[in-house]
Amino acid sequence: MTAQAQPRPISESKRSIMKTAAQLFAEKGYGSVGTAELGAATGHGKGALYHHIRSKEDLLLDIMTLYLHDLLAEAGTILSSDEDAASRIRALSLSLMQAVVQDNAEMTVCFREVHALSPERRRDVLRLHGDYFRLWELVMNEARDAGRLRPVDPDELKAMLGMYFYAFLWVGPQRAGDIEALAAKFSGIVLRACRKD
């Protein structure tokens, strides 16, 4: 399975393993966590663990891609709405900030450990990021064509999305009650940066 394929349904047991593994990988580094430690932390013996994860690298890929698939699905729903550009940007901002806060360990692992994947799998993860970028680009281009926002080139958009994604460094689960306010601040920055003069 490549990262671009739609993910298979994930059992609650596997989701629990992924959440625990993401925390361990974020705290200690992927290379420093062995399967014995992972088994002990999840309460699974080696056989039961491998029943759920196939391999440690497969687990790493799943951790890196599940939140991206979720973001893509949510962005697709937002783009299919009849909302105006500003409302779509606010909705995309909220969706992305929820991921930064609620999937903070997964995002940390994705950005810090992507080098641990095989080259093909690393390209798959980067493709998912590219797919997500293109959805934001579509919203920006539609807003430009409708005369709502100024033209925004890809470098500017990458910089703005970087503001969101790298917030994992300073925004964590302790901000769960603050997600909507954070999202409003970030979307406000985007909208002010892109408004027509």
Side-chain angles (χ1 to χ4, degrees), residues 21-76:
Q23 291 291 339
L24 285 171
F25 295 164
E27 291 169 12
K28 299 184 175 186
Y30 171 74
S32 298
V33 178
T35 53
E37 183 177 3
L38 187 55
T42 61
H44 289 80
K46 188 173 182 179
L49 186 63
Y50 278 106
H51 170 73
H52 292 290
I53 69 170
R54 298 186 312 273
S55 74
K56 189 179 166 192
E57 187 184 7
D58 283 332
L59 176 62
L60 181 64
L61 180 67
D62 287 341
I63 288 167
M64 290 183 181
T65 57
L66 182 61
Y67 84 89
L68 285 167
H69 281 294
D70 288 345
L71 279 173
L72 284 163
E74 290 167 15

Side-chain angles (χ1 to χ4, degrees), residues 80-100:
S80 67
S81 74
D82 293 329
E83 299 289 335
D84 64 15
S87 296
R88 288 180 177 187
I89 288 167
R90 289 186 191 101
L92 287 169
S93 181
L94 178 58
S95 171
L96 186 45
M97 192 53 64
Q98 285 171 332
V100 170

Side-chain angles (χ1 to χ4, degrees), residues 62-159:
D62 287 341
I63 288 167
M64 290 183 181
T65 57
L66 182 61
Y67 84 89
L68 285 167
H69 281 294
D70 288 345
L71 279 173
L72 284 163
E74 290 167 15
T77 300
I78 292 165
L79 265 66
S80 67
S81 74
D82 293 329
E83 299 289 335
D84 64 15
S87 296
R88 288 180 177 187
I89 288 167
R90 289 186 191 101
L92 287 169
S93 181
L94 178 58
S95 171
L96 186 45
M97 192 53 64
Q98 285 171 332
V100 170
V101 174
Q102 296 169 351
D103 299 318
N104 189 266
E106 290 82 352
M107 197 172 283
T108 300
V109 171
C110 188
F111 279 86
R112 290 184 181 165
E113 304 289 350
V114 70
H115 64 276
L117 293 172
S118 67
E120 181 183 353
R121 288 179 163 186
R122 188 161 53 247
R123 283 191 296 272
D124 288 338
V125 172
L126 295 176
R127 259 186 234 114
L128 287 175
H129 278 278
D131 290 345
Y132 187 69
F133 170 83
R134 281 184 286 281
L135 292 178
W136 272 81
E137 189 173 46
L138 183 61
V139 171
M140 295 299 192
N141 289 343
E142 286 178 355
R144 174 203 63 204
D145 294 346
R148 305 271 180 168
L149 297 176
R150 69 171 178 81
V152 176
D153 72 32
D155 291 335
E156 291 177 295
L157 183 54
K158 285 176 185 174

